[in-house]
């Protein structure tokens, strides 16, 4: 392929990926997909992403946009750029592969093959059978980053798991293990609120609730707060905590994962306050996190984000279940305190921790004077 022509195709696929990012956290159990449609001269006609709740899919949403703006006829002989292989099965809507064929699309580029067995390879085959040349893999790595949750659940039967961590420059997460320490600036906090809105589930532990009394919300107008889950083996959570007070509001669904040995009266109180209780097996008196993520996959959770203390993060790290780390480092040092990824809830004077070599830093940038680093771990290793 001519270099300038490939660059043009990549430009449109990058726009499709950007569109897909607007659907993150809004479409589970579907993937956040983006679609760009051009005319036969390579000029933009329309673009769209998977719509909230997952329907219509990105391709149909883009076609609908062309119809609504009187540009449907311009699609004939044009090209489609889609971040995921178009679906080929009948569900609540007709297959996107057929919608593209009907619209007269003559070329298709897609980034990632759909691992869903109802689709995998079938959309590709249907379009080729209709005489549409198909190219797969364009900008695949960037597209996979947006759809990581869906792809993880389909390929590995578990959610994609991110962990957001904020530390001092000397890698302490708090000065006192019993109390939260505010470390990052307001710009970083707004960044985290956006991250929350892009997840399908926010997860924290009872230690964080007792130390910080957080709401775990996306506190920016227009951003959605996803369901929230607290790991609380023995239902220690105070009934007057901020997160409990929000259970019956429109902020976001609240769930608590607990073990079998609990106070039944307190459980009934929590349910009456709007909390959903999830019983999970325990190991050594703590929630079995492998069993937990299996249950969450069964609940169609694509992407869960952990915002918790050192011990819970250490548990997920030890279990090999953290796929992405968003690490925010504030410029100030604490000198001592609770160390990052510590399995013991006690203050220390030094931090002796390094990320496993399996993690690769994929991004690094500043939010004012806070450093943000993003690390990825290959889930298949």
């Amino acid at each position: 392929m001519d270099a300038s022509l490939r660059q043009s195709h990549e430009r449109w696929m990058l726009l499709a990926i950007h569109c897909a990012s607007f659907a993150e956290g809004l479409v589970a159990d579907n993937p956040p997909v983006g679609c760009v449609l051009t005319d036969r001269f390579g000029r933009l006609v329309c673009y769209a992403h998977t719509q909230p709740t997952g329907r219509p899919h990105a391709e149909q949403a883009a076609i609908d946009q062309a119809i609504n703006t009187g540009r449907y006829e311009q699609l004939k002989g044009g090209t489609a750029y889609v971040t995921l292989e178009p679906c080929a099965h009948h569900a609540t809507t007709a297959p996107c592969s057929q919608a593209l064929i009907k619209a007269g699309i003559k070329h298709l580029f897609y980034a990632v093959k759909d691992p869903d067995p109802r689709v995998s390879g079938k959309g590709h085959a249907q379009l080729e059978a209709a005489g549409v040349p198909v190219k797969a893999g364009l900008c695949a790595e960037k597209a996979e980053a947006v759809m990581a949750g869906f792809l993880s659940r389909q390929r590995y039967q578990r959610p994609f798991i991110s962990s957001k961590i904020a530390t001092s420059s000397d890698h302490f997460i708090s000065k006192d293990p019993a109390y939260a320490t505010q470390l990052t600036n307001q710009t970083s906090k707004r960044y985290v609120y956006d991250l929350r809105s892009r997840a399908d589930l926010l997860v924290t532990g009872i230690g964080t609730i007792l130390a910080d009394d957080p709401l775990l919300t996306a506190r920016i107008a227009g951003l959605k707060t996803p369901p929230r889950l607290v790991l609380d083996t023995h239902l220690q959570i105070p009934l007057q905590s901020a997160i409990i007070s929000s259970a019956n509001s429109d902020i976001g669904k609240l769930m608590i994962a607990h073990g079998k040995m609990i106070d039944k009266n307190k459980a009934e109180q929590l349910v009456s306050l709007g909390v959903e209780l999830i019983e999970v097996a325990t190991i050594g008196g703590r929630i079995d996190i492998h069993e937990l993520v299996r249950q969450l996959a069964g609940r169609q959770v694509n992407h869960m984000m952990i915002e918790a203390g050192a011990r819970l993060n250490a548990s997920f790290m030890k279990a090999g279940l953290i796929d992405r780390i968003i690490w925010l480092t504030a410029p100030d040092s604490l000198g001592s305190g609770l160390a990052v990824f510590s399995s013991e809830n006690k203050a220390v004077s030094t931090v002796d921790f390094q990320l496993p070599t399996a993690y690769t830093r994929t991004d690094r940038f500043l939010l004012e004077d806070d450093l943000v680093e993003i690390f990825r771990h290959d889930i298949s290793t």
Side-chain angles (χ1 to χ4, degrees), residues 21-218:
S21 71
F22 286 92
E24 287 184 277
L26 299 174
V27 298
D29 63 334
N30 285 274
V33 175
C35 174
V36 169
L37 302 178
T38 65
D39 66 14
R40 63 192 180 95
F41 302 107
R43 298 176 302 198
L44 179 65
V45 176
C46 52
Y47 54 89
H49 56 71
T50 309
Q51 296 300 289
T53 72
R55 294 289 189 280
H57 290 176
E59 300 94 320
Q60 187 61 59
I63 290 170
D64 289 346
Q65 184 188 119
I67 293 171
N68 294 336
T69 56
R71 307 182 74 186
Y72 185 69
E73 291 301 314
Q74 296 180 31
L75 299 180
K76 290 182 179 178
T79 301
Y81 301 86
V82 191
T83 59
L84 187 69
E85 177 187 2
C87 68
H89 62 290
H90 286 268
T92 57
T93 57
C96 291
S97 57
Q98 296 302 315
L100 292 171
I101 293 167
K102 183 180 178 181
I105 292 296
K106 289 303 179 185
H107 295 88
L108 169 70
F109 291 83
Y110 70 85
V112 181
K113 181 179 179 180
D114 193 335
D116 186 331
R118 297 172 299 174
V119 179
S120 186
K122 298 181 180 69
H124 185 128
Q126 283 186 9
L127 283 147
E128 284 195 330
V132 178
V134 179
K135 297 288 186 182
L138 184 64
C139 303
E141 186 175 347
K142 289 182 172 65
E144 289 214 8
V146 176
M147 299 183 291
F150 171 80
L151 296 173
S152 175
R153 191 168 58 80
Q154 290 292 331
R155 292 169 176 168
Y156 312 114
Q157 293 73 57
R158 72 162 178 84
F160 182 83
I161 302 175
S162 297
S163 176
K164 188 280 294 181
I165 297 166
T167 69
S168 60
S169 61
D170 47 357
H171 292 171
F172 295 103
I173 66 170
S174 180
K175 184 68 175 175
D176 186 329
Y179 301 97
T181 300
Q182 296 299 315
L183 297 168
T184 55
N185 61 47
Q186 288 302 311
T187 301
S188 293
K189 286 179 170 57
R190 291 178 66 85
Y191 171 70
V192 170
Y193 300 153
D194 180 71
L195 287 175
R196 289 175 180 175
S197 74
R198 295 176 183 276
D200 299 310
L201 182 70
L202 300 177
V203 179
T204 195
I206 183 60
T208 298
I209 298 295
L210 296 176
D212 198 21
D213 195 25
L215 267 174
L216 281 188
T217 56

Side-chain angles (χ1 to χ4, degrees), residues 14-26:
L14 290 173
L15 176 58
I17 293 168
H18 181 66
C19 288
S21 71
F22 286 92
E24 287 184 277
L26 299 174

Side-chain angles (χ1 to χ4, degrees), residues 171 317 325 327 339-341 351-359 375:
H171 292 171
M317 175 67 76
I325 298 171
W327 193 318
V340 64
F341 290 110
V351 178
D352 183 20
F353 173 80
Q354 289 185 334
L355 280 177
T357 56
Y359 285 90
F375 300 90

